[in-house]
Amino acid sequence: MKRAIMLLACLPFFLGLPVTAKAEVSGERQWQDESVYYIVVDRFMNGDMNNNEGVDLENPNAYHGGDLSGIVDQLDYIKELGFTTIQLSPIMQNDGDSYHGFHVSDFRNVEEHFGTMEEAREVVEEAHARDLKVLFDLPAGFVSENHPWTESNDESGWLTGEEVSSEHPWFDQLPQVALERENVATYFKETMDFWKEETGVDGFRIIMNESDLSGTSLQEAPLIKYTSSIEEDHPFRKVTRESFNQSGNSLNDLRAEENLSQPHQLDFYDVSRFTHEAVVKGQNPITRWQLALTYIYTVPGVPVVYYGTETPIDDGGDPQNLPMMNFKAGDEKLKKRIEKLNSMREQFPALTRGEYRELYNEDGLVVFKRTYDGNDMVVALNNAEETRTMTLEGMEDDHQLRGLLHDGLVRQQSDGSYRLGMERETADVFIVEPNSGYNWLFIGFVGGVLSLFVIAVTVISLKNRKADKR
């Protein structure tokens, strides 16, 4: 009887659904294979109470105590979510109460509120011990008003003599750095070498002005992972947020980047939290996040997830409202979705390196395919308020689509078509594979075992009844 029970418990694994699929990535790992968790250092985790001078949790514009030691404490948490890279807001020495790190007064020193160079090195070492890469933000396009360059500009030519013009208060009217000048570019290349030598960091995000993006040689530095501008319009982010912030929205305006290495964020310090947008529209933010994250994880590009997305944080519509991370909060469904999406990007290179082709986009249902090395994956997202169906064209005969998020299975119909149905406000990622069919031999065997089990239970029950009558 015990053996029968064990066999019954294993039944779902033998009904013809393959347990694993071919998923190895050949060749050297590339930037596009990563998934990034972005940390605002001051608002993440307070691991060392000895560097809390000036900390005021009631003042949104003051330091809140997050530090490098706290990041080390939470690396296992980030690893469990499945991320492969952490990215830190600027940790360089800052001016005044610049908890965000963008008012740099010394590019080659650690801000004392965040810790020491030794602790910066520990972050990288402990991250590497968990197979996590580390990126540092390097705001090279501007400096603090009290940076030494502002006092010696006439002699050194470090600055342009102009100020940053930005709608974001962190950057507006900061002195601009002359990145196009050879001595300045050399300084920042040497600065990146400095941090690499001191900490072992894997790369940088270079933050500059829009005009600097094409005029500096910094982008050619070997350690850099990517560059960005504080004035970028972020069309991908804008359209994605507008498409998924409410059920019933059309997905016709969604755009997929051709660049496999383009970072994609839904939340960042220059835009209100996606959670808040969903709440304002009377939507369930968890459902909205599940759809939006599934999209940015499966289209070409590198997903960059802002700290607290998994809880999810609501900033009240103010991008400068950066609350402390609450590790006791959070929604398990959302965390599980992030874990699953990270796992899929690791397991299936079609999602990180594959060609992209849209198959269908009507009435809130979008379906697209990623193809790499002869392997296909189909992604379907239904943002409509009712179930949507479509017929997949150009599929090979005798194949099936096996869902990874909802365990759905789409098999070829008798007329040769593949009909995909998606419930309202759901998404799934399908592996396209040969039709496995059902394992009728095993089903028959289990049926026989089940019959014997029922007979055995009946016989024992009858014996017990006779024994009770005696």
Side-chain angles (χ1 to χ4, degrees), residues 87-122:
Q87 180 178 333
L88 309 188
S89 60
I91 65 170
M92 297 83 186
Q93 182 176 307
N94 260 249
D95 186 36
D97 291 331
S98 304
Y99 68 90
H100 44 73
F102 287 102
H103 295 178
V104 177
S105 56
D106 186 347
F107 284 101
R108 299 184 185 179
N109 205 354
V110 175
E111 167 56 44
E112 60 183 10
H113 286 90
F114 301 150
T116 64
M117 187 67 71
E118 182 178 352
E119 288 170 324
R121 188 180 306 115
E122 183 182 12

Side-chain angles (χ1 to χ4, degrees), residues 265-289:
Q265 312 110 342
L266 287 183
D267 277 355
F268 221 40
Y269 50 70
D270 59 340
V271 65
S272 65
R273 290 273 184 166
F274 183 69
T275 299
H276 183 74
E277 289 194 12
V279 170
V280 167
K281 292 181 178 293
Q283 302 287 298
N284 182 339
I286 305 303
T287 302
R288 298 290 93 208
W289 267 119

Side-chain angles (χ1 to χ4, degrees), residues 7-19 400 402 409 411 433 435-447:
L7 286 169
L8 288 172
C10 296
L11 178 61
F13 297 98
F14 294 92
L15 294 181
L17 299 181
V19 177
Q400 65 184 20
R402 177 164 58 91
L409 191 64
R411 284 196 169 98
E433 59 192 4
N435 186 2
S436 61
Y438 292 105
N439 193 335
W440 294 111
L441 178 62
F442 183 79
I443 293 174
F445 171 72
V446 172

Side-chain angles (χ1 to χ4, degrees), residues 24-44:
E24 292 298 321
V25 178
S26 59
E28 185 179 353
R29 189 174 182 87
Q30 301 175 23
W31 165 236
Q32 65 215 43
D33 299 321
E34 307 300 330
S35 56
V36 184
Y37 189 83
Y38 184 96
I39 298 172
V40 178
V41 178
D42 179 63
R43 303 302 165 94
F44 192 60

Side-chain angles (χ1 to χ4, degrees), residues 152-430:
S152 58
N153 188 44
D154 292 339
E155 297 179 6
S156 62
W158 296 104
L159 306 177
T160 65
E162 300 179 357
E163 295 179 338
V164 173
S165 177
S166 173
E167 296 181 359
H168 199 293
W170 293 353
F171 310 112
D172 192 40
Q173 297 185 342
L174 289 179
Q176 284 191 21
V177 174
L179 288 176
E180 75 282 359
R181 297 174 186 170
E182 185 177 351
N183 64 314
V184 179
T186 298
Y187 171 82
F188 279 108
K189 288 178 181 178
E190 292 174 349
T191 296
M192 285 185 280
D193 290 340
F194 167 83
W195 286 104
K196 173 64 176 176
E197 182 177 344
E198 290 291 328
T199 69
V201 67
D202 299 287
F204 300 87
R205 177 178 74 116
I206 308 298
I207 305 103
M208 53 186 73
N209 304 302
E210 188 70 28
S211 59
D212 296 324
L213 287 178
S214 60
T216 175
S217 60
L218 282 180
Q219 298 176 82
E220 302 168 5
L223 283 176
I224 297 176
K225 292 299 181 184
Y226 67 101
T227 58
S228 67
S229 164
I230 58 174
E231 295 100 3
E232 280 184 276
D233 190 31
H234 300 289
F236 176 93
R237 182 180 69 185
K238 182 175 184 294
V239 171
T240 303
R241 286 167 62 98
E242 290 176 351
S243 297
F244 289 110
N245 64 16
Q246 186 173 6
S247 63
N249 286 351
S250 169
L251 302 182
N252 292 343
D253 292 333
L254 287 175
R255 51 190 296 167
E257 302 279 356
E258 294 183 3
N259 183 1
L260 295 174
S261 300
Q262 178 65 38
H264 292 316
Q265 312 110 342
L266 287 183
D267 277 355
F268 221 40
Y269 50 70
D270 59 340
V271 65
S272 65
R273 290 273 184 166
F274 183 69
T275 299
H276 183 74
E277 289 194 12
V279 170
V280 167
K281 292 181 178 293
Q283 302 287 298
N284 182 339
I286 305 303
T287 302
R288 298 290 93 208
W289 267 119
Q290 287 179 321
L291 285 168
L293 284 170
T294 301
Y295 183 71
I296 70 167
Y297 265 84
T298 55
V299 293
V302 180
V304 180
V305 178
Y306 204 35
Y307 89 102
T309 293
E310 70 277 16
T311 56
I313 287 178
D314 184 342
D315 61 6
D318 180 5
Q320 281 77 63
N321 177 17
L322 275 64
M324 284 293 291
M325 177 73 178
N326 183 357
F327 292 93
K328 296 181 180 180
D331 184 275
E332 285 304 313
K333 288 183 179 179
L334 186 53
K335 287 182 179 178
K336 292 297 183 185
R337 175 59 60 90
I338 292 173
E339 290 174 14
K340 187 66 175 180
L341 291 170
N342 278 323
S343 175
M344 287 192 303
R345 281 180 61 88
E346 284 294 289
Q347 191 177 4
F348 301 105
L351 296 178
T352 61
R353 304 187 180 192
E355 296 179 359
Y356 170 93
R357 184 162 70 91
E358 187 176 282
L359 304 177
Y360 183 90
N361 194 339
E362 292 183 20
D363 301 322
L365 173 64
V366 63
V367 182
F368 55 88
K369 183 166 68 172
R370 302 294 304 275
T371 302
Y372 179 79
D373 195 23
N375 295 314
D376 291 338
M377 300 190 76
V378 172
V379 181
L381 302 103
N382 182 19
N383 196 48
E385 296 179 329
E386 54 273 320
T387 298
R388 296 292 190 206
T389 61
M390 57 85 66
T391 301
L392 289 166
E393 304 289 347
M395 298 285 294
E396 291 186 59
D397 288 333
D398 200 28
H399 275 61
Q400 65 184 20
L401 280 70
R402 177 164 58 91
L404 299 176
L405 295 178
H406 297 290
D407 299 321
L409 191 64
V410 179
R411 284 196 169 98
Q412 191 174 25
Q413 303 292 308
S414 58
D415 62 1
S417 67
Y418 292 84
R419 292 171 189 158
L420 176 62
M422 297 293 297
E423 294 183 7
R424 59 171 293 175
E425 299 182 79
T426 59
D428 211 343
V429 181
F430 299 89

